[in-house]
């Protein structure tokens, strides 16, 4: 009988230990109001992609720019004209908005009789957020009176001189070929008129100066 009594005491002690453990486990999932709290889900892992230096952004102007109406410091909006794909993954979709700035303007007659304009992109507007970027400047100089004298100036390090192809007739600006220059601007335009006019939907190409983490 004594042995049975001892076993009963041990059993009661074990029940008490396990009961305390269960209460602690239960209390760990109770919130301050005494109700069970749902298990916290781990935040999803967001994979980031880096746009390397030298990536080209082909954009279509939303706001027109010109040497007669634009001033240094003026901002303009554009949209990405082609998907930007890195390692088979589309990092920037066509239609994504970008913001740019006019950094320099010279009207016809101020620089050896030829107008010029300099543009850069400053931000990618994606998902309601603005991602700062830095691009090589886009520089265009109006054509001289003689077609064969159309001149292009390099940007960045001041290197590179490639003639933009002249397209279309008319009095306004004609869009030249987009050219990637190693240390130059990366894009050039030439025009038939005395001033430079780039209306909405004009397509330009800019080159990233630094890598950007998306």
């Amino acid at each position: 009988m004594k042995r049975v009594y001892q076993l009963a005491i041990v059993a009661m002690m074990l029940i008490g230990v396990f009961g305390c453990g269960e209460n602690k486990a239960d209390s760990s999932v109770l919130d301050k109001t005494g109700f069970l709290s749902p298990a916290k889900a781990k935040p999803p892992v967001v994979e980031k992609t880096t746009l390397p230096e030298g990536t080209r952004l082909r954009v279509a102007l939303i706001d027109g720019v010109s040497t007669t109406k634009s001033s240094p410091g003026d901002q303009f909006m554009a949209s990405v004209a082609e998907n930007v794909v890195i390692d088979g993954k589309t990092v920037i979709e066509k239609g994504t908005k970008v913001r740019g700035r006019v950094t320099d303007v010279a009207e016809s007659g101020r620089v050896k009789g030829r107008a010029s304009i300099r543009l850069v992109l400053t931000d990618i507007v994606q998902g309601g957020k603005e991602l700062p970027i830095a691009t090589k400047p886009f520089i265009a100089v109006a054509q001289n009176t003689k077609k064969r004298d159309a001149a292009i100036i390099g940007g960045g390090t001041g290197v590179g001189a490639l003639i933009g192809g002249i397209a279309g007739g008319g009095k306004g600006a004609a869009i030249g070929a987009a050219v990637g220059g190693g240390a130059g601007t990366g894009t050039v335009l030439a025009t038939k008129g005395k001033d430079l006019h780039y209306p909405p939907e004009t397509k330009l190409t800019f080159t990233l100066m630094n890598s950007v983490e998306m």
Side-chain angles (χ1 to χ4, degrees):
M1 178 64 70
K2 185 176 181 180
R3 182 173 180 76
V4 172
Y5 180 72
Q6 290 177 339
L7 290 174
I9 293 175
V10 172
M12 291 177 66
M13 291 177 64
L14 290 174
I15 292 172
V17 171
F18 285 115
C20 290
E22 289 177 0
N23 289 336
K24 288 182 180 179
D26 291 342
S27 63
S28 66
V29 295
L30 295 177
D31 59 19
K32 293 181 180 179
T33 63
F35 293 97
L36 290 174
S37 299
K40 293 183 178 179
K42 294 182 179 180
V45 177
V46 179
E47 294 184 2
K48 294 187 176 181
T49 303
T50 299
L51 286 176
E53 175 185 349
T55 299
R56 295 186 185 183
L57 301 178
R58 181 75 166 165
V59 305
L61 293 180
I62 296 175
D63 302 316
V65 296
S66 71
T67 54
T68 56
K69 295 183 179 181
S70 300
S71 301
D74 286 354
Q75 294 187 338
F76 63 88
M77 293 298 295
S79 63
V80 176
E82 301 172 358
N83 288 342
V84 178
V85 181
I86 303 296
D87 295 331
K89 178 183 178 182
T90 299
V91 181
I92 304 178
E93 294 184 354
K94 178 180 178 180
T96 299
K97 299 295 188 297
V98 293
R99 179 178 285 105
R101 186 176 70 251
V102 179
T103 60
D104 189 50
V105 175
E107 291 186 35
S108 178
R110 294 185 179 181
V111 182
K112 296 183 180 180
R114 281 178 281 181
S116 66
I117 193 167
R118 180 190 294 247
L119 312 172
V120 295
L121 295 183
T122 59
D123 302 276
I124 296 174
V125 183
Q126 192 174 42
K129 297 181 179 180
E130 296 185 3
L131 179 66
I133 59 173
T135 65
K136 294 180 181 179
F138 169 96
I139 304 176
V141 179
Q143 184 182 338
N144 202 333
T145 52
K146 296 181 180 180
K147 292 183 180 180
R148 60 186 176 83
D149 292 331
I152 314 302
I153 46 180
T157 57
V159 180
L162 289 172
I163 305 296
I166 306 241
K171 217 170 181 182
I175 305 172
V179 184
T185 64
T187 312
V188 213
L189 298 184
T191 70
K192 288 185 176 181
K194 292 182 180 180
D195 298 301
L196 297 169
H197 301 274
Y198 302 117
E201 298 186 10
T202 300
K203 291 184 179 180
L204 310 175
T205 302
F206 293 83
T207 303
L208 287 180
M209 289 182 62
N210 305 306
S211 61
V212 179
E213 189 176 73
M214 300 294 293

